Amino acid sequence: MSVFTAHTAETAPAAARRSIEGVSARFGWLPTPVALMADSPQLLTGFLTASAGFEQTDLAPLDREVVILTVSTSHECHFCVALHTGKLTQLGATPELIAALRAGSVLPEPRLEALRRFTLAVLDHRGAVPDHELDDFLTAGYQPRHALDVVLGVGAYTMSTFANRLTRAPLDPPLAAHAWAPAARTCAGS
């Protein structure tokens, strides 16, 4: 039994109602993670504000989705991977690119692979990215401001992925076609 409530616009705390209504209007349905995050209007507002800011960065839409899928697969958030697989499909991303992102493997496009590696470096080093990894990112054609944009994306989607995992947000039916599960991990010595 979950201790978290999947709210509607009618049951959500007053401070979350406008956000829920806005997300519902944008999607045409209320994603369960949003309904669950509404228990904390501040978390919901924080995530929606950070993700809206990330959408306004100088990174191209495909670049932003690479960052989001990299964070989502690293944090093993089945909901975010499914949702953003759909967004990649809408953007016309190749099946090879989508499959590589979902698998956490090398991307077929070198520039996007540099972005994926840099995003992983931000995550792995908690922001203290070694100079050579930052240099590789910049050599691929990104600008210093893009490095900071990646940090914004990592922050926004760390909030979302952690909340989704904590609340055990189920996959909503509209996303079933893009369902994802992390690869099984093997333990050393087993």
Side-chain angles (χ1 to χ4, degrees), residues 42-99:
Q42 295 74 21
L43 172 63
L44 180 58
T45 299
F47 166 66
L48 293 175
T49 301
S51 66
F54 185 57
E55 291 298 313
Q56 296 171 17
T57 65
D58 197 38
L59 290 170
L62 185 58
D63 292 344
R64 291 191 304 265
E65 293 302 319
V66 167
V67 172
I68 294 166
L69 257 287
T70 302
V71 171
S72 300
T73 56
S74 293
H75 293 164
E76 298 182 346
C77 179
H78 73 286
F79 188 92
C80 290
V81 173
L83 178 68
H84 290 279
T85 295
K87 286 190 175 187
L88 280 165
T89 302
Q90 290 172 346
L91 288 172
T94 66
E96 295 80 16
L97 175 62
I98 294 170

Side-chain angles (χ1 to χ4, degrees), residues 114-133:
L115 174 58
R116 184 186 77 86
R117 283 193 326 267
F118 181 75
T119 303
L120 289 171
V122 169
L123 287 165
D124 292 347
H125 300 286
R126 299 177 311 280
V129 176
D131 289 345
H132 73 279
E133 293 187 70

